[in-house]
Amino acid sequence: MATTSPAAPSEGTTYKKHPGARYLHGPHRTIGGVEAWVVWSLCAVFVIWLFAIQTGYAVVSPEIQKTAALTVTQISLAGSIYTWAFALCQFFSGALLDRFGSRPLMAIAVALVTAGAFLYAQTSSMGTLVAAQIVLAVGSSFGFVGAGYIGGQWFPAARYGLMFGLVQCLASLGSAFGQPAISWQLGHVTWQQLLNGFGAAGVLLIVLFALLVRNPSPGPEQLAQATARTSRPPLLASIFRDLSTCFRNRNVVLSAALAGVSFGSMLAMGVLWGPRVMEARGAATSLAAVLTAVSWLGLAVGAPLFNLLSDHWNNRRAPAVIGVLLQAAAVALLIYLPMETNSVSVVTMFCVGLFAGAHMLGFTVAGESVPGTLVGSSAAIVNGVCFIIGGILQAVPGKLLPATPDLTDYGHALLIMPILLVLGALAGFFIRETGGEPA
């Protein structure tokens, strides 16, 4: 059964409850206070930094390929290994945060990504590259979910979804501007120097995380949980138990399905298929980079916007369903309009990202539907499903296309996306409302 929490007191008090927040007492480490913003900002910087490293792989991989004498197949395989490792670790990262808190784990995650960046810079063989990808994936699996977890720990109930949306906004902006910035930097430094620079920034982040990132001060709920830990099952069994509890929650499953098809479609269209469709219409190849950046900019606007609308309406289900249906319409327009100018395609792609911001309500609903001890696990499940569906929607249409596809071929192969989006919106109708009653 879903659990609910009572309304939190006003910001600045020292006693609050939220599915992802804890009871706090005393003047130190107040929810929504200065320290909360410092901790959250550090985690947001971590997300932007690791997204820059992830985005940079597409830019520096040709240089790595030449230096290490690798083939295109090996470079592609290394990228796939990262995705597989990330997806596997994602489901465990949230459960580990629920069990141990952010204090040890986030600093360790930053250290792993830093080590991965330095390994990248030393790549001289396939083995080194694969090792770098795996280390990066393990650390990165705590990034986005960890920042959302921090938002739930340190901010009042009314801001939980908004703080998560702001993290996605910053990550999207990093994706939109990351590749052009890295390409520009490669004109002035070698790829090894660039990656070592990322690693050096990581060392600074490790120090800051070790000094500044704390778990909120324990109150009665935390003290009771700490006492209960002595009777907990072993770590692995505890993780699987927490994940199983979340998967048995109807709201978690339905919100993961809605968020998964929304973000997955945006990822597939923005990164791969949107530019390919426009090339089939005769657009210049240079438009592809513009469309990719515009889709991420749209998501940067939509991610916090849908949470703000949801909070204003005291309703989670309606804006999520409406957003996904509008996204389905935008995707269909991009695919099926027979004649489309470049300006129309840019606006349409922006709308694909904008309406994909509704997927952030999946995290909000999942976090509000489980006890506070499981909010990290619920967020990890939603995020994991998002990337799994995104990978499927990039791979499956490719299998359906001929060697030299035309616009009609793309229309047939990509029909799966608007269909899945409509099904995701349908799943949203069965979500139990967690937004509360209007004031």
Side-chain angles (χ1 to χ4, degrees), residues 115-246:
F118 282 126
L119 273 174
Y120 257 141
Q122 306 304 317
T123 297
S124 59
S125 66
M126 182 64 175
T128 310
L129 182 58
V130 168
Q133 294 281 41
I134 293 174
V135 174
L136 270 172
V138 175
S140 297
S141 67
F142 289 87
F144 185 69
V145 168
Y149 176 85
I150 290 291
Q153 290 281 319
W154 281 99
F155 290 88
R159 289 197 178 186
Y160 174 64
L162 176 61
M163 299 312 294
F164 222 151
L166 288 174
V167 173
Q168 180 63 75
C169 173
L170 294 171
S172 299
L173 289 174
S175 296
F177 297 109
Q179 283 194 7
I182 291 172
S183 297
W184 177 82
Q185 288 176 329
L186 283 177
H188 300 80
V189 299
T190 66
W191 67 269
Q192 292 97 332
Q193 291 172 328
L194 177 65
L195 291 172
N196 279 324
F198 276 118
V203 172
L204 176 60
L205 274 179
I206 293 171
V207 174
L208 292 175
F209 267 72
L211 292 176
L212 300 175
V213 174
R214 298 286 187 272
N215 296 319
S217 301
E221 187 182 74
Q222 288 66 50
L223 294 175
Q225 290 169 2
T227 303
R229 285 192 185 105
T230 58
S231 60
R232 278 188 175 186
L235 177 60
L236 194 60
S238 176
I239 290 174
F240 280 111
R241 181 201 61 191
D242 290 350
L243 290 173
S244 175
T245 300
C246 288

Side-chain angles (χ1 to χ4, degrees), residues 268-294:
M269 288 300 295
V271 172
L272 181 60
W273 298 121
R276 297 296 180 272
V277 169
M278 291 309 301
E279 288 174 6
R281 285 198 172 94
T285 304
S286 60
L287 183 63
V290 175
L291 289 176
T292 299
V294 164

Side-chain angles (χ1 to χ4, degrees), residues 91-106:
F91 289 102
F92 294 92
S93 61
L96 288 170
L97 285 165
D98 286 332
R99 174 131 184 185
F100 297 110
S102 56
R103 164 71 170 152
L105 288 178
M106 294 304 292

